[in-house]
Every structure is written in structure tokens, then in C-alpha cells.
């Protein structure tokens, strides 16, 4: 789930990440997913303007699913462009 809100006074896009312990009990898996979200955001940051994003992970992604999650997150952050 990606929530977005325009931040007219901000200079650049900002990111918040929510991954609950119920979603993924393993701290290692939560950290891996957070790294993935940050990496995708870092690559798209210039194109996002001054929008604030909150990414809430609902399903854990492990192994091969990480590639699918990366593509889905890229399309969600870029607004389906």
C-alpha cells in the first residue's frame, strides 16, 4: 500500500516505511524489504517532486518475490507511468 501527499513547502520527496512484526516476524526479512523500498525510492526520487510517500508492506516478499515487489513498487511510486 502506498499513500502519497503533496508537500508544497518541501524541496524533495520524502519516504516513510511501515512493516509490522505481524507481517514478517523475522527482523532480517523486514530489514531486507526496507532496503528494497529505500533503493527503489532513491532511484525515483528526482522524478517524484515534493511528494511525501508512506509505503506500508502488507505481504512479505522473500527470494524470487523480491523482484516482483520491486517492479510493483516502482509502478506504484511513479503513479503508474
Amino acid at each position: 500500500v502506498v499513500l502519497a501527499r503533496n508537500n508544497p513547502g518541501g524541496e524533495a520527496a520524502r519516504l516513510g516505511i511501515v512493516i509490522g512484526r505481524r507481517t514478517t516476524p523475522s527482523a532480517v526479512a523486514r530489514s531486507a524489504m526496507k532496503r528494497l523500498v529505500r533503493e527503489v525510492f532513491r532511484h525515483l526520487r528526482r522524478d517524484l517532486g515534493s511528494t511525501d510517500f508512506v509505503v506500508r508492506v502488507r505481504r512479505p516478499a522473500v527470494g524470487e518475490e523480491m523482484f516482483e515487489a520491486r517492479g510493483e513498487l516502482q509502478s506504484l511510486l511513479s503513479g503508474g507511468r
Side-chain angles (χ1 to χ4, degrees), residues 4-15 48-53:
R5 176 169 281 183
N6 193 13
N7 183 8
E11 296 179 14
R14 297 185 297 179
L15 175 67
L48 298 177
S50 62
T51 306
D52 295 340
F53 292 94

Side-chain angles (χ1 to χ4, degrees), residues 11-80:
E11 296 179 14
R14 297 185 297 179
L15 175 67
I17 304 170
V18 178
I19 303 176
R21 209 175 301 158
R22 284 185 184 173
T23 303
T24 306
S26 168
V28 173
R30 281 195 310 273
S31 294
M33 287 189 283
K34 286 179 183 180
R35 281 193 304 271
L36 174 75
V37 172
R38 285 189 200 108
E39 179 185 344
V40 170
F41 180 76
R42 201 171 14 254
H43 287 293
L44 297 174
R45 191 171 194 170
R46 287 187 176 164
D47 301 331
L48 298 177
S50 62
T51 306
D52 295 340
F53 292 94
V54 176
V55 176
R56 183 174 183 196
V57 177
R58 294 289 198 115
R59 260 186 315 125
V62 182
E64 296 291 323
E65 295 174 346
M66 291 291 250
F67 294 111
E68 294 173 20
R70 177 188 305 267
E72 186 175 340
L73 183 61
Q74 285 175 342
S75 68
L76 287 171
L77 285 178
S78 63

